[in-house]
Amino acid sequence: MPAPEAVGPLRGQVWLTIQTRQAQQLVRGRSGTADKATIIGLVGFADRLRVIWQAARNDDPYADWWLIKVHEGIEAVGTLIGQRQEALDVLLQQMGSIEVSIAASLHPFRMPLQFANPYAYQGAKSLSAYDSLVCTALTAQHVGLLDSEACRRELNLCARKIRALFTISQRYRFLGIDRPLI
């Protein structure tokens, strides 16, 4: 009986679909100018995480520490956005017998994701959650449950937290250290 053939490598695709301009701006970020500071987007976050991830794989304890900081940042952003989303969902449920569907783009922005580590995908998940929050907040504003100022505050709060998360990876510096072999 002939030997069975080996199973080939797995391949798949991951796509990020963004409905709002606010979230789309956080994908690439913004280059700095004399008047405006640089904003690190998901792409810059993932790119810098690749360096940290590789250093951690090479047994750099400092890189491990930065991955812990990134993980904590992702959890904090997830908690905040989850709480704000839940509050908006409760607000929309107050419409009684009026059924409100959350706004969605007729032409969403869609991009493939090919990251080198799970933290970058978790950053994309945070951005996706923010995108959903933006859709919900704008819907609540449209039906009169939020005034424009409250909506703007809601979106700015969460956008600041996403930007802060994406900035964490930029503070890492490669020091070329590793754990001693015992």
Side-chain angles (χ1 to χ4, degrees):
M1 177 183 279
E5 290 186 32
V7 174
L10 294 175
R11 296 286 185 250
Q13 293 184 333
V14 179
W15 292 85
L16 174 64
T17 302
I18 298 291
Q19 303 289 328
T20 65
R21 177 185 48 79
Q22 293 88 336
Q24 185 181 16
Q25 290 173 335
L26 292 173
V27 170
R28 301 232 184 272
R30 177 183 71 201
S31 297
T33 65
D35 299 337
K36 296 183 179 182
T38 299
I39 293 177
I40 304 302
L42 174 64
V43 173
F45 173 70
D47 188 49
R48 191 66 183 159
L49 270 174
R50 185 177 36 80
V51 174
I52 300 170
W53 183 260
Q54 187 57 49
R57 290 182 74 193
N58 291 335
D59 219 14
D60 180 345
Y62 188 58
D64 289 343
W65 183 73
W66 277 100
L67 288 177
I68 291 169
K69 290 180 69 73
V70 167
H71 178 77
E72 290 170 348
I74 289 168
E75 285 186 338
V77 165
T79 298
L80 173 71
I81 291 175
Q83 290 170 345
R84 302 313 311 144
Q85 182 70 51
E86 187 176 318
L88 288 172
D89 290 343
V90 167
L91 191 63
L92 283 171
Q93 290 172 1
Q94 294 176 358
M95 293 295 286
S97 62
I98 298 173
E99 186 178 319
V100 179
S101 68
I102 304 301
S105 174
L106 295 175
H107 303 288
F109 172 75
R110 192 164 185 250
M111 69 179 279
L113 300 179
Q114 293 179 319
F115 298 137
N117 61 74
Y119 294 104
Y121 286 104
Q122 291 301 309
K125 180 181 173 191
S126 297
L127 184 56
S128 176
Y130 172 70
D131 186 50
S132 295
L133 179 84
V134 173
C135 290
T136 306
L138 292 175
T139 300
Q141 179 186 1
H142 181 71
V143 298
L145 295 174
L146 280 180
D147 62 43
S148 61
E149 181 60 28
C151 183
R152 188 178 60 72
R153 276 194 316 269
E154 191 77 34
L155 300 182
N156 286 344
L157 168 68
C158 293
R160 271 195 316 274
K161 297 299 182 180
I162 292 275
R163 289 191 305 267
L165 167 63
F166 290 170
T167 302
I168 292 171
S169 65
Q170 302 304 306
R171 296 191 306 248
Y172 169 77
R173 297 293 174 256
F174 179 72
L175 299 177
I177 60 176
D178 59 12
R179 290 179 180 83
L181 298 174
I182 297 177

